[in-house]
Amino acid sequence: MAQGADSAVNAEHKAAETALPDGYRVLDDSVGAKRVDPPDGYRWVANSDGEAKLQSLSDGKIYESRKEVPENSSADSGNSEGAGGVKEAAKVTAETEIGGQKISGINQTARDPSVSDPNKPTLIGDKIQAKIDATGKPLPNGNMSTAHAEIEVIQKAFDAGLTKGHDMTIKVTGQPVCSYCRSDIRAMADKAGLNKIEIYETTTGKTLVSIRQPNGSMSKMSEK
């Protein structure tokens, strides 16, 4: 077995062997927070109140936030590679055509390193960082290494000068828009100067819409 596969299997075994405290459960892929990778050697768990915590896979210790995790732990929530340095296959894709150009994005854990830049903030980077500072918990969409597929598409379109005063429709395939992204997409559309944004979810058939109002603000995302 290849070394990368060995590392992945060992990590799975360690996770399976780590006991959960009473009242805790492992956060699975259906939970939005799980889409932000935990530091190496940790996993996301939730207590009986549904609050996300980090659990060490080596000693089972529970940490309230990433700030409490020892400094020698990996804290790159935008890591684009899986165990053993193997890049994940894309789970979510987002596509749009605006200004005669086709633009696409994928989930952050599958993104090419040339695009997944932790030093490049998104249009809502300041807003996301303020939330992280206030809660001590990891949140996506603040930079191009943690941006979900929909956020990547809007950022690319803005960088290309294609958004101001225009409408945008994004087709999302693979998973429905997560709870984080509903409000973040609206905020990105506002910052990008879009008049309207529509998100079509192929998995549910739903279309989410936000429209710029007469007072200049974007309406809350609603189902069309």
Side-chain angles (χ1 to χ4, degrees), residues 20-203:
L20 282 168
D22 290 343
Y24 278 78
R25 62 185 174 85
V26 176
L27 291 181
D28 60 28
D29 289 337
S30 67
V31 181
K34 184 63 175 64
R35 294 183 67 180
V36 180
D37 294 341
D40 291 343
Y42 292 81
R43 68 181 175 186
W44 287 111
V45 297
N47 62 17
S48 58
D49 293 325
E51 297 172 328
K53 315 284 184 181
L54 283 163
Q55 182 183 32
S56 169
L57 297 180
S58 60
D59 59 15
K61 184 176 179 180
I62 300 292
Y63 294 87
E64 293 292 320
S65 69
R66 296 177 77 93
K67 290 181 178 179
E68 295 184 3
V69 172
E71 292 184 1
N72 60 352
S73 297
S74 170
D76 182 7
S77 62
N79 184 14
S80 62
E81 297 182 346
V86 180
K87 189 183 298 182
E88 295 181 5
K91 295 179 180 178
V92 181
T93 60
E95 302 170 293
T96 192
E97 184 169 350
I98 185 170
Q101 295 189 35
K102 292 183 178 180
I103 299 174
S104 63
I106 57 177
N107 56 290
Q108 72 275 26
T109 53
R111 191 170 298 137
D112 189 277
S114 64
V115 180
S116 183
D117 185 357
N119 296 314
K120 176 177 173 52
T122 63
L123 290 168
I124 57 173
D126 290 345
K127 172 188 173 184
I128 300 299
Q129 189 58 52
K131 288 184 179 180
I132 292 173
D133 291 342
T135 64
K137 294 181 179 180
L139 295 171
N141 300 329
N143 61 65
M144 291 304 290
S145 74
T146 66
H148 288 186
E150 306 91 334
I151 302 301
E152 179 187 3
V153 166
I154 299 172
Q155 185 67 50
K156 284 181 174 179
F158 173 79
D159 290 344
L162 301 172
T163 57
K164 191 172 179 60
H166 292 278
D167 298 347
M168 176 185 282
T169 299
I170 300 177
K171 181 176 74 172
V172 179
T173 305
Q175 293 180 6
V177 175
C178 71
S179 57
Y180 287 117
C181 285
R182 286 199 175 210
S183 61
D184 287 352
I185 288 170
R186 173 192 174 199
M188 284 287 293
D190 187 20
K191 290 286 189 178
L194 289 168
N195 284 336
K196 180 172 76 171
I197 188 160
E198 292 189 351
I199 309 293
Y200 172 61
E201 301 177 339
T202 62
T203 55

